Amino acid sequence: MDKDMSYGSDYKYIPATSIGSGVGIEVLPDLYSHTIQIVNICLVGTPKSEDFVLVDAGMPGSADEIISVTEKRFGSDHPPKAIILTHGHFDHVGAIVDLIKYWGVAVYAHEMELPYLTGKKSYPEPDPTVEGGMVAKMSPIFPNEPVQLGDHVQALPDDGSVPHMPGFRWIHTPGHTVGHVSLFREKDRVLVVGDAFVTVKQEYLYKVLTQEQEISGPPRYFTTDWKAAKESVISLEALKPSVAVTGHGLPMTGELLSESLAKLVQDFDQIAVPDYGKYLN
Ligand SMILES: [Zn+2]
Ligand SMILES: [Zn+2]
């Protein structure tokens, strides 16, 4: 059964890091964000309980770190009930095949993202010409070939619920990818964003390294539909989240979050959309 799984053909370790790498933040008692080099994974569920999920699957080669962080928080005898993917970019599925093999866990993603998770479609190549800094320039080394998860990955339920994340619903937030989703819990207005917006200027190596907190649109080198990306940010802002855990950058909360999001909606074309790049329409 494992034979039908593989990483993208161009997967490799990416030598990029940040001061947050290896550090975890307990954002809420049941919401834990951990940084793998330059991307965050998120564990949702109360520590030591058997009911928890992992959101996203880190960088290539990070399986051991993800397993150890998870076992430290939830114990080694309870695997996560599911892995939810916000989207299938290499930095969000980097350890997924190893994790499925280790835990035998079910994986869920938006239906429109499934071709990129089952080896059928490659993502558009990252754009090194896009307006931005060193990370944009080095983006050609980023893998864009799809993982093959076979029937280990399933579509998220049509009713908007998120398996094993009671109280959360998934929100389709396309633009960065076609099947991108964010996860929202009404009762305390928690938002697990993915890359629909991020809190660090991900195109700039220095800002990634220092994790200087600053609201930003989706990482530019991989974003292909800016009109949809803007609509997605507008819909997330309308939820008035009180806590946002993003795929890149530090978690943002409270007034800083609401003011930053309002600003991002207001000035999306200046803040988020690059002045030049090959995916501008
Ligand atoms: Zn991405
Ligand atoms: Zn990302």
Side-chain angles (χ1 to χ4, degrees):
M1 190 151 127
D2 291 335
K3 279 204 297 291
D4 56 357
M5 287 196 294
S6 59
Y7 289 109
S9 55
D10 56 353
Y11 270 42
K12 57 183 169 300
Y13 175 80
I14 299 296
T17 195
S18 71
I19 55 159
S21 184
V23 177
I25 297 175
E26 186 168 82
V27 183
L28 292 169
D30 66 350
L31 184 68
Y32 188 76
S33 172
H34 177 90
T35 306
I36 311 267
Q37 294 178 259
I38 57 165
V39 73
N40 302 320
I41 57 163
C42 193
L43 288 161
V44 183
T46 310
K48 306 295 172 196
S49 79
E50 294 177 31
D51 252 321
F52 69 98
V53 305
L54 171 67
V55 180
D56 287 346
M59 297 285 279
S62 66
D64 288 350
E65 182 175 349
I66 294 175
I67 290 166
S68 115
V69 164
T70 304
E71 291 189 342
K72 205 169 157 195
R73 191 163 169 85
F74 292 94
S76 53
D77 39 355
H78 304 301
K81 286 276 181 357
I83 298 175
I84 313 292
L85 297 175
T86 60
H87 63 305
H89 278 150
F90 80 97
D91 51 334
H92 299 255
V93 299
I96 189 87
V97 172
D98 296 85
L99 297 178
I100 294 170
K101 285 181 183 168
Y102 187 80
W103 282 323
V105 66
V107 179
Y108 297 88
H110 191 277
E111 193 170 17
M112 293 175 79
E113 204 71 1
L114 294 183
Y116 304 91
L117 296 165
T118 50
K120 293 191 181 72
K121 253 180 161 174
S122 305
Y123 286 107
E125 283 180 20
D127 178 10
T129 69
V130 77
E131 182 201 358
M134 267 310 290
V135 177
K137 304 275 180 290
M138 72 187 273
S139 65
I141 70 166
F142 293 165
N144 68 300
E145 296 299 330
V147 285
Q148 166 57 280
L149 302 181
D151 54 11
H152 295 270
V153 63
Q154 309 165 51
L156 284 159
D158 287 335
D159 65 3
S161 65
V162 185
H164 305 287
M165 289 178 71
F168 276 89
R169 62 187 162 100
W170 60 264
I171 295 152
H172 188 204
T173 44
H176 182 58
T177 68
V178 289
H180 191 284
V181 293
S182 307
L183 312 170
F184 184 65
R185 182 166 65 190
E186 194 85 42
K187 80 166 185 208
D188 50 4
R189 320 205 76 72
V190 166
L191 184 63
V192 180
V193 182
D195 285 358
F197 67 85
V198 298
T199 60
V200 63
K201 288 222 164 254
Q202 187 68 13
E203 303 80 21
Y204 296 86
L205 195 59
Y206 176 79
K207 300 212 172 187
V208 168
L209 184 69
T210 59
Q211 296 285 290
E212 182 185 316
Q213 208 178 26
E214 182 176 4
I215 199 125
S216 188
R220 288 172 171 175
Y221 41 83
F222 262 144
T223 301
T224 48
D225 184 342
W226 286 101
K227 195 167 168 279
K230 183 176 182 173
E231 293 302 318
S232 292
V233 167
I234 290 171
S235 67
L236 293 180
E237 194 274 341
L239 297 172
K240 306 291 174 201
S242 64
V243 177
V245 176
T246 48
H248 304 273
L250 294 163
M252 201 178 260
T253 61
E255 240 168 69
L256 178 63
L257 175 62
S258 49
E259 284 167 10
S260 298
L261 262 181
K263 191 173 96 181
L264 184 60
V265 164
Q266 176 90 32
D267 300 328
F268 191 83
D269 297 340
Q270 286 74 45
I271 296 172
V273 182
D275 284 346
Y276 48 87
K278 69 176 179 183
Y279 295 123
L280 290 168
N281 21 34

